[in-house]
Amino acid sequence: MTSPTTSLTKEQIAAFHREGYLVLDAITAQEEVERLRLIYDRLFSDKIGWASGNQFDLAGTDEGDQATLPQILGPSQYAPELKETRYLRNAQGMARELLGEEMLPRNGEHMIYKPPGIGAATPWHQDQAYHDPTIRAYGVNFWMPLDDATVESGCLHFVPGSHKLDVLPHHSINHDPRIHGLEVDDPEKWASKGIACPVPAGGATLHAAFMLHYAGPNRTDQSRRAYTLAFRLPPDQRETPIDNYWSRNQQTARAERAQQANR
Ligand SMILES: O=C(O)CCC(=O)C(=O)O
């Protein structure tokens, strides 16, 4: 069995900065993957975080019973044991190797689940399209599947070098402002340049903050569970904010629940 990677080689660091992504066979131990699957399944089956808008359907309007792309933001606030994982320790160390000592101590995290047979595609997008349009925040996302991620089950695809682009225009999935998930405009242009990155359970892909990426639908009868950790450098203020009309125009049930919860 492959041992977990705890640090990156010089070649991997150079490849990350050149291409914008890396693939690792193992970032944590299989025993931890097994423990994480139990926590993950509980969070989704109990709809933890739904009332506060932290759990929602990334590809839908939250109206039906069955979400096709459920996502949880900040899962460790509901399962504090997630703050003590080997995955987090290893990712933190490698993120520091990539970003340097300036890296912010607090990391972001989310989980995206593609249920067997019905898990929807995560369209081509840049993570920065979701974020504050007044700043430029460089960083790295670690994406660890808890099941072997294949092209058929929804592994990530990247466009090499696209992390050097600024934020491109995006729109809500299906051009429906009730849907939280974003898609870059003209996705076909990028799809033809995408490289699929299958990765075993407990392995990881790493991608830079502006990277164009995609994950296909889950066409298998197995779950595709994935857990993302995000590390950032202190942001630069932009002279001119991005016009992120795609987020301003959204009216999602998730945002409505978050507002209610904060009242
Ligand atoms: O898990 C997925 O389907 C997409 C993940 C992703 O886009 C991310 O974590 O940045």
Side-chain angles (χ1 to χ4, degrees):
M1 193 187 296
T2 320
S3 312
T5 310
T6 51
S7 64
L8 298 171
T9 63
K10 267 207 263 187
E11 289 72 24
Q12 285 173 314
I13 295 172
F16 176 83
H17 291 301
R18 190 176 61 246
E19 307 290 337
Y21 72 101
L22 283 178
V23 182
L24 306 179
D25 281 348
I27 190 168
T28 194
Q30 288 305 310
E31 303 85 76
E32 181 164 276
V33 172
E34 280 161 33
R35 274 200 306 280
L36 289 176
R37 284 183 188 137
L38 300 177
I39 301 169
Y40 194 101
D41 289 349
R42 178 177 60 78
L43 293 175
F44 281 104
S45 62
D46 292 354
K47 289 223 166 190
I48 300 294
W50 184 265
S52 56
N54 285 330
Q55 182 166 170
F56 53 93
D57 187 356
L58 181 60
T61 58
D62 280 348
E63 281 160 347
D65 283 344
Q66 178 64 64
T68 58
L69 198 57
Q71 176 168 16
I72 299 177
L73 304 179
S76 68
Q77 67 193 291
Y78 307 109
E81 60 274 38
L82 294 173
K83 292 182 185 146
E84 306 296 333
T85 64
R86 187 163 171 182
Y87 171 38
L88 175 60
R89 271 201 314 280
N90 288 347
Q92 220 157 24
M94 284 184 262
R96 200 168 288 112
E97 290 176 324
L98 292 169
L99 303 178
E101 291 305 318
E102 291 261 275
M103 183 176 100
L104 297 172
R106 273 197 60 207
N107 66 280
E109 32 139 27
H110 65 252
M111 294 170 161
I112 298 179
Y113 173 43
K114 289 189 196 278
I118 59 159
T122 318
W124 283 101
H125 69 282
Q126 293 166 297
D127 297 329
Q128 287 299 303
Y130 285 91
H131 297 151
D132 182 346
T134 67
I135 58 171
R136 201 181 270 110
Y138 293 103
V140 53
N141 274 21
F142 289 70
W143 182 89
M144 181 177 79
L146 304 182
D147 308 284
D148 293 346
T150 60
V151 171
E152 296 70 33
S153 73
C155 67
L156 288 190
H157 298 229
F158 300 109
V159 176
S162 61
H163 62 305
K164 295 183 179 150
L165 298 169
D166 203 344
V167 176
L168 298 166
H170 282 65
H171 54 267
S172 298
I173 293 177
N174 299 337
H175 295 272
D176 183 339
R178 297 173 302 161
I179 299 180
H180 179 80
L182 295 174
E183 176 174 50
V184 71
D185 289 359
D186 298 325
E188 307 77 24
K189 175 172 153 192
W190 303 107
S192 59
K193 300 182 179 145
I195 307 278
C197 295
V199 62
T205 61
L206 281 55
H207 66 266
F210 288 77
M211 186 59 152
L212 272 161
H213 56 292
Y214 162 88
N218 184 359
R219 298 200 170 92
T220 72
D221 57 7
Q222 307 291 314
S223 296
R224 197 240 55 186
R225 292 166 281 198
Y227 182 15
T228 295
L229 298 176
F231 300 88
R232 294 285 173 258
L233 283 170
D236 298 330
Q237 206 61 40
R238 288 179 183 271
E239 273 182 26
T240 312
I242 288 170
D243 179 8
N244 68 339
Y245 51 87
W246 51 85
S247 291
R248 276 202 317 277
N249 293 344
Q250 282 190 330
Q251 283 197 315
T252 63
R254 149 188 146 62
E256 181 68 27
R257 293 197 300 277
Q259 258 175 18
Q260 294 275 355
N262 288 328
R263 257 179 214 149

